[in-house]
């Protein structure tokens, strides 16, 4: 299932705040788990989820995803990583 979280750009234009939706995060736990988005190199936005990392390319408007190692969930804790 896709996420309910939206990636938006905020711009101040003629004294008014403009909100533009860029994309919907493709995987449901991408942003909801951590609540942080990191900028990399001025072009990429990175979200870390429970079992994957997602990266948005602001120039191409596309997403890439990578799974986190399954070993992260084998630590006998109640961490959000699980």
């Amino acid at each position: 299932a896709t996420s309910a979280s939206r990636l938006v750009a905020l711009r101040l234009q003629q004294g008014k705040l403009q909100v533009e939706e860029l994309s919907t995060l493709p995987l449901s736990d991408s942003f909801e788990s951590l609540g942080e988005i990191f900028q990399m190199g001025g072009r990429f936005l990175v979200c870390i989820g429970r079992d994957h990392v997602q990266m948005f390319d602001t120039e191409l408007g596309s997403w890439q995803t990578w799974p986190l190692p399954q070993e992260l969930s084998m630590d006998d804790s109640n961490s959000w990583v699980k």
Side-chain angles (χ1 to χ4, degrees):
T2 60
S3 173
S5 294
R6 306 287 196 246
L7 184 62
V8 300
L10 303 176
R11 294 183 181 86
L12 193 58
Q13 233 174 15
Q14 299 175 347
K16 293 184 179 181
L17 183 63
Q18 303 290 321
V19 179
E20 175 189 0
E21 183 176 322
L22 303 175
S23 183
T24 300
L25 279 71
L27 298 175
S28 60
D29 68 343
S30 54
F31 179 74
E32 290 90 344
S33 294
L34 185 60
E36 293 187 68
I37 296 178
F38 305 95
Q39 186 173 16
M40 291 180 53
R43 175 178 173 176
F44 302 104
L45 300 174
V46 177
C47 307
I48 303 170
R50 285 180 288 161
D51 58 3
H52 55 270
V53 174
Q54 297 183 89
M55 182 176 71
F56 183 72
D57 184 324
T58 60
E59 290 182 14
L60 298 178
S62 62
W63 289 95
Q64 287 185 283
T65 62
W66 300 273
L68 289 174
Q70 196 169 16
E71 292 81 7
L72 289 175
S73 65
M74 297 179 193
D75 64 356
D76 294 327
S77 74
N78 60 359
S79 168
W80 63 268
V81 175
K82 296 181 177 190

